[in-house]
Amino acid sequence: MRRGKAPSSRRAEIMHIYRCYAPGGKELTAKSLLEFLHKEQIEIAASERTAEQMIDKYEIHEKARQERTMTFEGFLRFMESKDCSIFNKEHTTVYQDMEQPLCHYFISSSHNTYLTGDQLLGRSHLFAYVSALRKGCRCLEIDCWDGPDLEPVVYHGYTLTSKILFRDVIVTIEHHAFEDLKYKILIKNKKIGLLQDNVLRTGTDRQGEVGECEESEDEESEEETPKRKKHFSKSEKTVEKKQKKKITVAMELSDLVIYTKSVKFISFSHSSGNQKFYENTSLGENKARKLARNSGCEFALHNSRFLTRIYPAGSRTMSSNYNPQEFWNVGSQLVALNFQSLGLPMDLNNGKFQDNGGCGYVLKPHFLRTNETGFDPNCLQQNFKPVYLLIKVISGYNLPVPKHSKGINPYVRVEIHGAPADNCRKQTDPVKRTSLNPRWDENMNFAIQVPDLVLVRFVVKDQNSILSDDFIGQYTLPFTSMKKDSSLHPIFILTAAPWLIPQDVRRVLSTKQESAMLNTV
């Protein structure tokens, strides 16, 4: 090559592609690069101007840029960039219909948003709200309690979690939530009376006035919050039971609740006949899981009309998370997770809401928005024809190696998360003792029944022991957001680009570093 020969050990598989389009040791012309974009990358809309823009962006040699050509170094930079990501560029902006009813969207939701640690002794911090909002979260939780001098505080009630001021939480949300929301906020809370009662109270002074309403959360009192022990007689138990049915709510707060009034879930038939369009229910994961498995069709039908929030069981004191996919499968919109806890559930959540420009709202598939299909994820109908997915895992480069390690034995696992019939995983063989440029060249075939629900997760692990393999990195995206060729056969070249390893920097931060980050907010 005219400007120096690249080492043969440096991405030989990419060098092979380069030589196919730049034969005879010549450099890649804009026309040849365009041919590559059309044939290999399936960038049908690309023009010669597109190719020239890629040359200007990635070519490091001035003379090559002037001649509108690309050297191997420029081509390698291009291949290792986000412009060659498997994620469809068209999905990096808001492209879905955003004018449908709220119940027609999956909405990125957090549980006990203020916590940075466990549910009993963990630290409450404003950074948790900042972090969640930056990740596209659109449903925040603020647990308000009376503090000193009637100053409201936020913390996990009846526990030893630290407290932060409600006023500081609101200011933090204001600073980080209004680039796109245009000051539109829905407050989900218990409400006194009906929506039309608000109209009758419009213009009147309700300051200091309170009222009573029925306790609405389905399992909050039994599963969500650890309670202090109480000792009372049989007659006192009867009084206690009656008192639980009514709670006091400030009228000013009640009137702020418009489209998201919390009501108790009784049954799907009761909701069908009695629930208002502006009312929503909350279900603990255990009850929701039983409903999803035993009454999947009814659950999906319910969620086509009403909002449903799912929250983690109270037994998850260490802030672990359930798998959100099982509740997305029945169309639950507000599947709340502990955003501070890393792992598979949050990887799936981040991957799902990467779609639609990362705005935090993803339009549900048509069969989860209508009452005509009778969709049940546990019993798929014949009209769902499988889509066949072929993934070729080619190679990787510059994978991180733990300190004091003599090397890693990396392998790639591809996981399919969706309807129960689609859940599966396949993996490559490990490559011994290499992190610089591991080469797998393995094909994986998948038959997918419900592609609109599927998330594809690529996981890189180090096979280093019999008991467990170390996590290196992962990348998750919706199947519908994958770049596809005309045969629906995506080709995946594994890299260590920022979008793959690691997705959350806190995977590699020490405790001191993380504490320093929290203290800067």
Side-chain angles (χ1 to χ4, degrees):
M1 295 179 65
R2 198 167 70 201
R3 292 182 177 84
K5 185 177 181 181
S8 59
S9 62
R10 190 183 181 198
R11 309 307 299 270
E13 69 281 10
I14 295 183
M15 174 62 81
H16 173 74
I17 298 173
Y18 181 82
R19 286 173 174 168
C20 288
Y21 289 89
K26 297 180 180 180
E27 292 165 357
L28 205 62
T29 64
K31 185 176 181 180
S32 298
L33 179 58
L34 178 61
E35 184 182 4
F36 166 79
L37 292 175
H38 284 167
K39 290 184 178 180
E40 305 292 345
Q41 304 299 80
I42 322 299
E43 301 282 357
I44 306 301
S47 64
E48 194 160 338
R49 175 58 183 158
T50 306
E52 291 176 350
Q53 289 174 341
M54 294 299 102
I55 292 173
D56 290 336
K57 187 174 182 179
Y58 295 105
E59 180 52 57
I60 60 177
H61 295 286
E62 180 63 30
K63 189 173 181 181
R65 287 201 302 270
Q66 292 176 356
E67 295 175 354
R68 318 311 287 161
T69 61
M70 181 176 274
T71 63
F72 175 72
E73 286 81 1
F75 185 70
L76 182 60
R77 294 181 70 209
F78 167 61
M79 289 294 287
E80 292 176 349
S81 73
K82 282 191 174 183
D83 281 316
C84 283
S85 169
I86 196 172
F87 190 82
N88 189 339
K89 277 186 185 179
E90 295 178 0
H91 292 195
T92 60
T93 59
V94 176
Y95 68 94
Q96 296 178 344
D97 180 3
M98 301 302 290
E99 297 185 357
Q100 297 206 23
L102 201 59
C103 60
H104 286 182
Y105 297 87
F106 294 119
I107 303 169
S108 181
S109 306
S110 61
H111 173 67
N112 289 351
T113 313
Y114 45 87
L115 288 178
T116 61
D118 65 76
Q119 306 287 311
L120 300 178
L121 302 171
R123 186 182 182 192
S124 302
H125 203 287
L126 298 175
F127 172 78
Y129 285 96
V130 177
S131 176
L133 287 167
R134 287 177 178 175
K135 291 177 181 177
C137 182
R138 289 296 174 262
C139 179
L140 307 174
E141 186 169 12
I142 309 175
D143 285 340
C144 301
W145 300 81
D146 289 336
D149 301 323
L150 297 181
E151 175 80 10
V153 295
V154 175
Y155 82 111
H156 197 192
Y158 305 119
T159 71
L160 297 178
T161 57
S162 62
K163 302 176 177 66
I164 52 179
L165 294 178
F166 173 77
R167 136 191 350 259
D168 292 341
V169 171
I170 297 303
V171 170
T172 298
I173 293 173
E174 181 185 18
H175 287 167
H176 295 273
F178 299 118
E179 286 74 18
D180 303 309
L181 291 183
K182 300 178 181 177
Y183 301 97
K184 295 179 180 177
I185 296 220
L186 297 179
I187 296 179
K188 176 184 178 295
N189 195 58
K190 304 164 186 67
K191 182 176 179 63
I192 301 168
L194 302 174
L195 185 60
Q196 49 265 42
D197 296 332
N198 273 38
V199 179
L200 299 177
R201 291 195 291 265
T202 300
T204 62
D205 183 10
R206 319 302 292 183
Q207 187 174 0
E209 192 172 332
V210 298
E212 287 188 338
C213 60
E214 290 188 3
E215 189 173 17
S216 58
E217 296 298 301
D218 183 76
E219 292 178 279
E220 295 282 357
S221 59
E222 300 173 7
E223 184 178 31
E224 169 86 276
T225 306
K227 298 299 183 191
R228 295 171 293 184
K229 289 186 177 179
K230 295 182 179 180
H231 302 279
F232 36 63
S233 66
K234 185 176 181 180
S235 60
E236 288 173 328
K237 286 184 179 180
T238 304
V239 175
E240 177 76 4
K241 186 175 181 181
K242 290 181 179 179
Q243 288 176 342
K244 282 186 178 181
K245 294 181 180 180
K246 296 288 184 178
I247 59 172
T248 301
V249 177
M251 195 68 73
E252 285 180 290
L253 174 60
S254 174
D255 286 350
L256 292 176
V257 180
I258 307 298
Y259 296 115
T260 45
K261 174 186 176 181
S262 297
V263 296
K264 183 178 179 63
F265 177 82
I266 298 176
S267 68
F268 293 130
S269 59
H270 181 272
S271 294
S272 178
N274 298 277
Q275 190 168 336
K276 307 292 191 300
F277 71 92
Y278 56 85
E279 295 176 335
N280 61 84
T281 56
S282 289
L283 295 170
E285 64 168 293
N286 293 331
K287 182 167 185 176
R289 185 173 294 112
K290 291 178 184 177
L291 292 172
R293 292 178 178 176
N294 299 329
S295 308
C297 186
E298 289 181 279
F299 208 163
L301 179 61
H302 173 87
N303 288 327
S304 70
R305 299 177 57 195
F306 306 112
L307 284 175
T308 302
R309 174 178 172 266
I310 314 296
Y311 58 87
S315 58
R316 295 184 181 274
T317 56
M318 299 308 294
S319 296
S320 62
N321 282 314
Y322 52 77
N323 188 324
Q325 186 67 51
E326 59 184 324
F327 303 119
W328 290 329
N329 287 344
V330 290
S332 298
Q333 302 87 354
L334 304 169
V335 181
L337 298 177
N338 292 298
F339 270 48
Q340 73 272 31
S341 299
L342 305 175
L344 171 64
M346 275 307 298
D347 290 342
L348 296 181
N349 194 80
N350 292 337
K352 187 173 192 68
F353 291 103
Q354 185 183 181
D355 193 9
N356 203 29
C359 71
Y361 295 88
V362 173
L363 188 63
K364 297 198 295 189
H366 179 264
F367 54 81
L368 288 176
R369 308 194 309 262
T370 178
N371 58 6
E372 300 172 358
T373 59
F375 176 76
D376 185 347
N378 306 303
C379 183
L380 299 180
Q381 298 85 348
Q382 296 297 320
N383 57 341
F384 281 89
K385 296 181 180 180
V387 171
Y388 294 96
L389 169 65
L390 165 64
I391 293 178
K392 183 175 183 180
V393 181
I394 302 174
S395 66
Y397 80 102
N398 292 344
L399 300 182
V401 179
K403 289 182 179 180
H404 312 300
S405 174
K406 295 181 180 179
I408 59 174
N409 306 313
Y411 66 89
V412 179
R413 186 172 70 211
V414 179
E415 303 171 352
I416 304 298
H417 298 266
D422 288 330
N423 292 335
C424 64
R425 57 175 61 181
K426 297 181 181 181
Q427 66 187 48
T428 68
D429 292 328
V431 177
K432 299 296 182 181
R433 300 295 178 190
T434 180
S435 62
L436 181 62
N437 192 22
R439 186 86 177 262
W440 294 282
D441 284 327
E442 293 190 32
N443 293 330
M444 300 179 185
N445 290 281
F446 301 93
I448 297 175
Q449 301 290 324
V450 193
D452 287 340
L453 288 177
V454 160
L455 293 169
V456 183
R457 183 173 184 249
F458 300 94
V459 187
V460 188
K461 303 197 82 173
D462 173 21
Q463 188 184 72
N464 63 359
S465 69
I466 298 176
L467 296 178
S468 63
D469 295 338
D470 288 338
F471 173 89
I472 297 177
Q474 72 87 36
Y475 180 66
T476 304
L477 78 165
F479 172 80
T480 53
S481 293
M482 294 176 72
K483 287 182 180 177
K484 306 175 184 68
D485 67 17
S486 56
S487 304
L488 294 180
H489 292 165
I491 302 299
F492 175 59
I493 298 180
L494 178 66
T495 73
W499 49 266
L500 177 67
I501 302 174
Q503 187 154 5
D504 192 312
V505 297
R506 288 193 290 166
R507 284 194 190 279
V508 294
L509 286 178
S510 67
T511 303
K512 289 184 179 179
Q513 287 175 310
E514 185 169 343
S515 298
M517 287 178 64
L518 295 177
N519 290 330
T520 59
V521 180

